[in-house]
Amino acid sequence: MKNSSLRLWSLSIILIGYSLCIFSAHANDWLTLKIEGVDDVLERNIKAHLGALPKSKVQRRAFIFNAEDNTTAALHSLGFYHGVINEEVTQSQDGPWTLSLSIAPGEPTRLQWIDINFDGEIVEDQFILKWLDTVTIKPGDVLNHGIYEQLKSQLVTIALARGYFDGKYKRSAITINRDLNTAQITLHYDSGRRYHIGTVSFEGHTLNDELLNELIPFEANSLFSTGKLSSLNRELLDTSYFSNIKVLPQIDKPQGLAVPIKVELSPKPSHSIELGLGADIGNTTDNSMEPRVRVTWRTPQINRYGHSQETTAEWSPDKPKFLTSYTIPLTHPLDDQLKIRLGMLRDKYGVTQVYDPENKQFNNTGELEGSKRLLGVIRQQRLDNQWLFSYSVEWMREFYNQSDIDYDPRFILFGSSISKTTRGDNSLDPKSGFFQHYSLEYADPTLGSTIRLARLQTKYKWIDTFFDKHRIVSRLDLGVNLAADDDLALIPPSLRYFAGGDQSIRGYSYQELGPHLDYINSDDQLARQVVGGRYLMVGSVEYQYYLTPTWRVATFIDAGNAFDVNQIEPIVSVGGGVHWISPIGPIKIDLGVGLKETDTVDRPWRIHITMGAEL
């Protein structure tokens, strides 16, 4: 017989003190139970063995009759084999009886050794060896039958999850020496051979079989594990094709050592419509409320090749949007996609002001508005090292009025980007992580654009948690537009850089900050307009402290701005907030305060409400 792994811990002695309770009372209309002489752990275990208090005379008689045996069993289960129990019953004619248990638990039985031994292919399984390192039971511990049973069942559960379906215990026992108050645990497990994953079959779908086979994240005939099946389930879920997924190993129908996998799928409805209502408060020149209505139409599966579409129409008085995206899976349904996007949208940037000679100040009159039409084709791939790589070509035309001059430049932008997100865990509120993004876009008159333009951007976000409750979140955004000085006005607002908002510099409105220019408007008035910059540099550091696992407070400092070579004006804001870690992600309420006035913005304060994961 192959004896491959024998783990025997040396004896260590741990002294455990017991705080004796004067008594603990538990009562109802029929019986009052008093327990004294034991600590809280023993008391809870005794009550669990005694069961619910009686609700009739018959039940009371049975409860009292079995009390000593049940109490003895409770003591034994936690390693006390020399307990002395004094039982006293006080009867009452017009009230509940009283059962008093005075207990002297005696010396506990301690573990002398724990012998865990494996035979079979499980000996070579590194996962099982790592699990052994997590076993906390050790010589010197007080014997606890519950922990022994838990350890025993946990090993069987892990073995089954790893594909050892023929595994069994050759010996599992607790040997007790009551004279010496010692116990020995023996667990000898023979796993047998490990099974493999057999043929994966899909039912209940109308997709191309090759498309689904690409989603299988493991090699054919690979070693069985439920973790691999969970990965398959996640891949299928991430496609958004299905409303219900069941990955069922056919353990009762093995083909030799291969276990067939049946996947039952239920497609999502052919079409879905989602309606959203909201409001944008304080992001207009008069700080008024701007209502928003959004309608999203989705078709998760258009044909057997897995094509899908999503169309969003959003109405608001000043910022209507329409965007539709058509997705075509290429070599992999998730990791290689071609997206075709068509959109029309209007947005506002910065602020426009007119000088009031009487009060000697500039007054807000509006914003720089841009109306854009776009058509883009993007190929997005997830590389083997988990970098997300994309390259694209986008045609766009934008209409805007700057300094009372109308512009409508055309661009054909050739772009490429690469990014990667690393998370310390898969939760919506990760304890650690790092995000990095790099992109390059280029337009040239010889390729159909109005001017020559190169855009470079990079973004970083870093998260780490210290001592469980102390969390740091920092970010850095950098950008540059390379173009001739005479062509700057022909760079549309959507391609320039602005700062301000909850993802930029808090305390200021969205895209409110940036370089400005002064001019004489069509009414012969001195006017000033924030037109954005060719450079961007914005950073933030935030400290968060967890009051509870689901509530935390935060304080932050944001700094930077959008700027030009001849107009650099650093902005700093500080603030704090309260965050709730909800089941759908963090919901944050932050108050930001700007530390200085600019030529176009008074020293502001602003409440920002945001929702969603930070990575």
Side-chain angles (χ1 to χ4, degrees):
M1 185 177 296
K2 186 177 180 182
N3 187 355
S4 55
S5 177
L6 176 64
R7 298 215 166 190
L8 187 63
W9 286 272
S10 60
L11 178 65
S12 63
I13 298 177
I14 300 176
L15 297 178
I16 300 178
Y18 292 93
S19 53
L20 300 182
C21 304
I22 296 175
F23 69 86
S24 173
H26 190 38
N28 69 0
D29 292 340
W30 293 96
L31 184 67
T32 297
L33 175 64
K34 293 182 179 181
I35 300 174
E36 59 181 340
V38 295
D39 66 1
D40 291 341
V41 175
L42 272 173
E43 180 188 329
R44 287 194 297 270
N45 197 46
I46 291 169
K47 288 181 178 178
H49 277 73
L50 290 173
L53 291 178
K55 297 181 180 180
S56 67
K57 290 182 179 180
V58 174
Q59 290 182 6
R60 181 171 61 191
R61 190 180 305 115
F63 187 96
I64 294 172
F65 180 79
N66 294 311
E68 185 172 352
D69 289 342
N70 289 334
T71 302
T72 299
L75 293 174
H76 287 181
S77 69
L78 294 182
F80 294 89
Y81 289 93
H82 303 290
V84 177
I85 304 169
N86 291 318
E87 179 179 335
E88 183 179 344
V89 178
T90 304
Q91 301 183 11
S92 174
Q93 296 297 327
D94 54 358
W97 291 11
T98 300
L99 172 61
S100 299
L101 297 175
S102 179
I103 304 166
E107 288 296 319
T109 299
R110 297 185 181 275
L111 294 175
Q112 189 176 19
W113 74 61
I114 304 97
D115 177 13
I116 302 178
N117 180 280
F118 293 126
D119 284 314
E121 292 188 1
I122 200 172
V123 171
E124 307 298 330
D125 194 330
Q126 293 299 315
F127 186 90
I128 296 295
L129 299 181
K130 290 180 181 178
W131 169 79
L132 267 178
D133 292 334
T134 67
V135 175
T136 58
I137 185 173
K138 61 186 182 299
D141 287 353
V142 174
L143 175 63
N144 186 317
H145 288 257
I147 293 177
Y148 163 76
E149 293 295 339
Q150 182 181 12
L151 180 67
K152 186 178 169 183
S153 63
Q154 190 179 48
L155 176 55
V156 172
T157 300
I158 294 175
L160 291 174
R162 302 289 291 171
Y164 303 101
F165 300 124
D166 297 330
K168 60 184 178 181
Y169 278 107
K170 294 163 61 178
R171 187 182 179 198
S172 59
I174 300 177
T175 304
I176 299 171
N177 187 324
R178 298 196 182 191
D179 294 332
L180 299 177
N181 288 327
T182 60
Q184 303 161 357
I185 289 179
T186 302
L187 292 174
H188 289 185
Y189 186 80
D190 185 356
S191 69
R193 298 191 63 182
R194 186 176 181 183
Y195 282 69
H196 295 248
I197 295 178
T199 304
V200 180
S201 60
F202 299 92
E203 300 179 358
H205 69 93
T206 57
L207 287 166
N208 189 310
D209 288 337
E210 294 181 2
L211 188 75
L212 289 175
N213 288 334
E214 289 293 335
L215 291 167
I216 300 175
F218 43 80
E219 299 293 330
N221 202 39
S222 61
L223 294 172
F224 185 95
S225 79
T226 54
K228 293 176 182 178
L229 302 187
S230 296
S231 296
L232 173 59
N233 188 85
R234 284 195 301 271
E235 290 281 292
L236 294 166
L237 186 65
D238 289 345
T239 64
S240 298
Y241 294 142
F242 311 108
S243 61
N244 191 37
I245 301 165
K246 294 181 180 179
V247 180
L248 306 172
Q250 307 296 288
I251 298 174
D252 57 336
K253 301 176 182 178
Q255 299 170 355
L257 287 176
V259 177
I261 308 299
K262 182 172 72 171
V263 182
E264 297 179 355
L265 302 169
S266 300
K268 283 187 175 180
S270 300
H271 302 278
S272 67
I273 295 178
E274 181 181 290
L275 177 65
L277 302 174
D280 199 356
I281 303 173
N283 278 340
T284 59
T285 55
D286 56 359
N287 288 325
S288 61
M289 184 180 73
E290 186 177 89
R292 292 182 179 274
V293 179
R294 174 182 292 179
V295 178
T296 301
W297 167 40
R298 294 186 180 91
T299 308
Q301 181 189 332
I302 294 175
N303 53 35
R304 65 192 301 265
Y305 301 104
H307 295 197
S308 61
Q309 73 83 29
E310 179 175 310
T311 301
T312 298
E314 183 176 303
W315 175 88
S316 66
D318 295 321
K319 300 176 183 179
K321 296 179 182 179
F322 173 83
L323 183 65
T324 184
S325 178
Y326 190 93
T327 302
I328 303 172
L330 297 177
T331 61
H332 190 278
L334 294 173
D335 296 341
D336 189 5
Q337 297 178 333
L338 185 70
K339 296 178 180 289
I340 302 171
R341 291 175 178 167
L342 174 67
M344 295 181 291
L345 57 153
R346 187 167 75 220
D347 210 343
K348 291 189 174 185
Y349 310 84
V351 64
T352 300
Q353 300 176 324
V354 171
Y355 185 69
D356 180 2
E358 182 177 344
N359 295 313
K360 297 182 180 180
Q361 65 179 21
F362 281 91
N363 297 322
N364 294 347
T365 60
E367 295 105 336
L368 174 61
E369 297 185 11
S371 297
K372 182 168 65 174
R373 302 170 186 171
L374 64 89
L375 173 63
V377 179
I378 307 102
R379 185 176 184 180
Q380 182 174 284
Q381 296 175 289
R382 187 174 300 279
L383 308 180
D384 291 339
N385 55 11
Q386 298 306 303
W387 283 89
L388 194 63
F389 173 69
S390 69
Y391 51 93
S392 63
V393 57
E394 181 179 273
W395 174 90
M396 63 169 286
R397 185 178 183 184
E398 191 161 346
F399 302 85
Y400 56 98
N401 182 287
Q402 180 175 307
S403 305
D404 282 355
I405 301 175
D406 292 328
Y407 296 90
D408 64 339
R410 297 173 175 83
F411 284 84
I412 297 179
L413 286 166
F414 297 87
S416 181
S417 69
I418 188 166
S419 63
K420 185 176 183 179
T421 301
T422 304
R423 293 181 175 86
D425 55 73
N426 292 322
S427 68
L428 293 174
D429 187 53
K431 298 298 182 183
S432 63
F434 181 61
F435 167 77
Q436 50 187 320
H437 169 89
Y438 311 90
S439 67
L440 169 66
E441 294 176 291
Y442 181 75
D444 195 284
T446 60
L447 299 173
S449 298
T450 301
I451 63 170
R452 182 176 289 107
L453 172 66
R455 303 186 77 238
L456 295 88
Q457 295 184 86
T458 182
K459 299 180 180 180
Y460 303 95
K461 180 169 278 190
W462 173 74
I463 297 174
D464 209 347
T465 302
F466 305 93
F467 308 111
D468 294 333
K469 293 186 176 182
H470 306 271
R471 189 171 188 249
I472 300 293
V473 178
S474 62
R475 56 179 165 83
L476 177 65
D477 296 344
L478 303 172
V480 58
N481 281 345
L482 301 177
D485 290 346
D486 294 339
D487 292 337
L488 293 181
L490 290 169
I491 301 176
S494 64
L495 297 182
R496 301 176 195 169
Y497 296 110
F498 296 83
D502 52 64
Q503 299 301 314
S504 179
I505 301 178
R506 284 163 283 192
Y508 296 86
S509 294
Y510 174 63
Q511 299 187 142
E512 180 180 31
L513 300 171
H516 66 272
L517 56 83
D518 294 337
Y519 64 98
I520 302 299
N521 64 20
S522 56
D523 295 326
D524 290 328
Q525 297 172 303
L526 176 61
R528 176 173 289 170
Q529 189 173 49
V530 174
V531 295
R534 70 176 94 180
Y535 305 107
L536 176 71
M537 180 181 293
V538 172
S540 174
V541 176
E542 181 169 326
Y543 168 73
Q544 301 169 349
Y545 178 78
Y546 286 86
L547 301 171
T548 71
T550 57
W551 286 95
R552 68 180 179 226
V553 292
T555 183
F556 61 82
I557 178 170
D558 300 338
N561 206 346
F563 56 93
D564 281 328
V565 174
N566 60 348
Q567 196 176 99
I568 301 175
E569 189 173 13
I571 298 295
V572 178
S573 72
V574 297
V578 177
H579 304 170
W580 173 44
I581 317 304
S582 76
I584 59 174
I587 298 176
K588 300 180 286 186
I589 302 177
D590 293 322
L591 171 65
V593 179
L595 296 185
K596 65 174 291 186
E597 297 181 354
T598 72
D599 291 340
T600 56
V601 181
D602 294 334
R603 178 176 174 178
W605 65 271
R606 192 168 298 275
I607 294 176
H608 300 272
I609 302 175
T610 57
M611 182 176 69
E614 285 161 318
L615 282 180

